[in-house]
């Protein structure tokens, strides 16, 4: 079962990602962002890209990470299908992500929407009794 679901919204996409750990919701949010843009099953984990980010606020760390994935897609034409993520649980929060994927190839990849930005409108990250949850609008 996927750790994310897509929700109805007038923007390009809105999703909710869940996980028992911070690493899990960051991973599931990253996968949801990728799935908005491409059939993730068509993206081979051929290239690795390391991303390291720090932020005083946990929600803004996730925002920065998702935004960085969009920048990498736009600047380097890389899409990802696999993530290995570590997130510290105290402020300042630090994320270290190894992202695996490949350059966009329209002949190979089933492309969908072209995500341009993460919005702060209704953006949230919160701890629940079952773990963590985030809601994101692209």
């Amino acid at each position: 079962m996927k750790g994310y679901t897509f929700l109805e919204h007038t923007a390009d996409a809105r999703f909710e990602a869940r996980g028992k750990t911070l690493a899990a919701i960051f991973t599931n949010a990253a996968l949801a962002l990728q799935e908005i843009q491409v059939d993730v099953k068509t993206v081979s984990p051929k290239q690795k890209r390391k991303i390291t980010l720090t932020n005083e606020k946990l929600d803004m760390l996730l925002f920065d990470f998702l935004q960085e994935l969009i920048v990498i897609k736009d600047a380097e034409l890389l899409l990802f299908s696999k993530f290995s993520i570590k997130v510290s649980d105290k402020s300042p929060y630090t994320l270290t992500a190894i992202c695996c994927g490949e350059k966009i190839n329209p002949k190979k990849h089933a492309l969908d929407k072209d995500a341009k930005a993460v919005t702060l409108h209704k953006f949230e990250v919160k701890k629940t009794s079952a773990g963590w949850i985030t809601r994101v609008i692209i």
Side-chain angles (χ1 to χ4, degrees):
M1 183 172 155
K2 291 182 184 176
Y4 55 89
T5 53
F6 291 99
L7 307 170
E8 289 293 319
H9 198 272
T10 57
D12 283 345
R14 181 175 183 220
F15 64 84
E16 175 180 283
R18 300 162 302 284
K20 292 188 185 234
T21 65
L22 288 173
I25 67 159
F26 275 67
T27 299
N28 290 331
L31 286 167
L33 172 63
Q34 298 304 298
E35 190 170 310
I36 289 165
Q37 303 174 102
V38 67
D39 178 352
V40 175
K41 293 180 288 244
T42 68
V43 179
S44 299
K46 294 179 180 178
Q47 297 181 34
K48 288 185 181 180
R49 187 70 168 2
K50 183 176 181 180
I51 299 173
T52 304
L53 299 168
T54 301
N55 200 304
E56 295 293 322
K57 295 184 176 182
L58 183 61
D59 59 346
M60 293 311 297
L61 182 66
L62 178 60
F63 180 90
D64 292 347
F65 176 54
L66 296 175
Q67 201 57 39
E68 182 70 13
L69 292 174
I70 292 171
V71 168
I72 292 169
K73 182 258 308 168
D74 288 342
E76 301 175 36
L77 302 177
L78 284 173
L79 293 171
F80 301 106
S81 58
K82 185 177 175 188
F83 298 89
S84 176
I85 296 175
K86 293 180 183 175
V87 182
S88 65
D89 59 358
K90 293 182 183 166
S91 184
Y93 298 97
T94 301
L95 166 131
T96 304
I98 304 298
C99 311
C100 300
E102 65 182 331
K103 285 203 177 260
I104 295 171
N105 178 349
K107 292 179 182 177
K108 178 184 179 191
H109 302 125
L111 298 172
D112 200 352
K113 296 175 181 76
D114 184 21
K116 290 295 183 192
V118 180
T119 174
L120 286 172
H121 180 67
K122 296 188 178 182
F123 186 89
E124 65 179 331
V125 175
K126 64 181 178 179
K127 188 165 177 59
T128 69
S129 59
W132 292 88
I133 190 168
T134 185
R135 290 187 185 93
V136 180
I137 298 173
I138 303 297

